Amino acid sequence: MPEQTRQSWDFGRFFDTLSYFDAIPIVSSLQKMFFGSPPPPPPQLQAHLVFDFRQPTEQMRELWGALDDVVMGGVSQSSTQLQPEGLAFTGYVSTANSGGFASVRTRNFEPPLDLSAYSGIELRVKGDGQRYKFFLRDGAGWDAVAYAYSFDTANGGWVTVRIPFADMKAVQRARVIQRAPINAGQIYSLQIMLSKFEYDRQLNPHFTAGPFQLLVESVKVY
């Protein structure tokens, strides 16, 4: 059965999402003033590992959060859970309300992560056969230009995804723009997304609305 075009929108989840990612300046300022919520420090690289989700830390729990299409009126929902095999990114993507994406993103690092000595990112993932996107941002703004790379997954099988910095596309809300290559010396955030769109309003050829699951074992640099 096709999804309804309009469904009830959750303003509370919208507000919680923007608050978590410090996207509402006045709320962010008040939180820091009254609750002492400093920006998270960048992860410390060890043997080329940025994140090894098989060895969870409190910092990982504080850094990663769901960022779904509720921010644009949609009703998709996702969550993350640290499991023995890695970070489980699961949920349900709905195309109702003109939505169609779910993602997990880090809060901005302060200071930003310096990856200038490396050529790219390597992900070790086990997915569901769908095509996902990986994003990096070299600007601190909530809606700053992102650099994207699409990757396919094997249904139930582990794959290693190598993402050269030089091959990442500069995008603004899935629209490819002309921009200088990413500044790997100042990486503010990482993000993984499942979206019905590829780039420039083209549809993701390996997307199905409904439940999804992606297990991320590690994020490395090479």
Side-chain angles (χ1 to χ4, degrees):
M1 178 182 295
E3 292 188 293
Q4 298 176 6
T5 56
R6 298 296 304 175
Q7 292 184 16
S8 177
W9 179 63
D10 190 339
F11 176 79
R13 196 159 62 90
F14 166 80
F15 183 83
D16 289 345
T17 298
L18 296 192
S19 297
Y20 180 82
F21 288 102
D22 298 323
I24 308 175
I26 188 169
V27 173
S28 177
S29 297
L30 289 172
Q31 285 176 330
K32 292 173 183 175
M33 183 183 303
F34 292 106
F35 302 106
S37 175
Q44 300 299 309
L45 270 65
Q46 296 183 353
H48 289 202
L49 273 168
V50 183
F51 291 103
D52 182 354
F53 294 112
R54 297 165 301 178
Q55 300 182 39
T57 65
E58 191 59 35
Q59 183 198 40
M60 290 180 191
R61 295 184 175 90
E62 294 176 354
L63 275 175
W64 291 85
L67 175 56
D68 304 328
D69 58 19
V70 68
V71 297
M72 51 169 282
V75 297
S76 300
Q77 294 192 48
S78 70
S79 64
T80 60
Q81 183 180 19
L82 287 165
Q83 300 180 350
E85 285 189 297
L87 180 72
F89 169 43
T90 62
Y92 186 97
V93 174
S94 169
T95 57
N97 299 14
S98 299
F101 76 84
S103 78
V104 59
R105 176 174 167 175
T106 64
R107 298 168 64 198
N108 277 357
F109 308 132
E110 191 173 308
L113 188 61
D114 182 359
L115 302 181
S116 58
Y118 304 96
S119 299
I121 295 286
E122 181 179 290
L123 306 177
R124 180 70 174 164
V125 300
K126 181 166 69 172
D128 50 12
Q130 301 207 68
R131 176 174 294 179
Y132 291 78
K133 292 179 184 176
F134 178 78
F135 297 91
L136 294 174
R137 286 178 175 81
D138 62 6
W142 158 250
D143 201 22
V145 170
Y147 290 80
Y149 186 91
S150 297
F151 63 93
D152 292 315
T153 61
N155 191 0
W158 287 100
V159 296
T160 298
V161 181
R162 280 208 155 192
I163 304 172
F165 293 140
D167 290 351
M168 301 189 80
K169 302 175 185 289
V171 297
Q172 188 84 51
R173 301 181 185 179
R175 180 173 57 88
V176 177
I177 62 174
Q178 295 300 312
R179 181 77 177 257
I182 190 168
N183 179 359
Q186 56 174 46
I187 300 301
Y188 281 92
S189 67
L190 288 68
Q191 183 176 7
I192 298 174
M193 176 183 290
L194 175 62
S195 173
K196 72 176 181 180
F197 290 115
E198 187 73 349
Y199 304 103
D200 295 329
R201 308 300 293 180
Q202 297 297 311
L203 294 177
N204 177 349
H206 298 158
F207 168 80
T208 302
F212 70 89
Q213 56 182 0
L214 181 74
L215 188 62
V216 186
E217 179 184 279
S218 61
V219 179
K220 298 180 179 180
V221 287
Y222 67 90

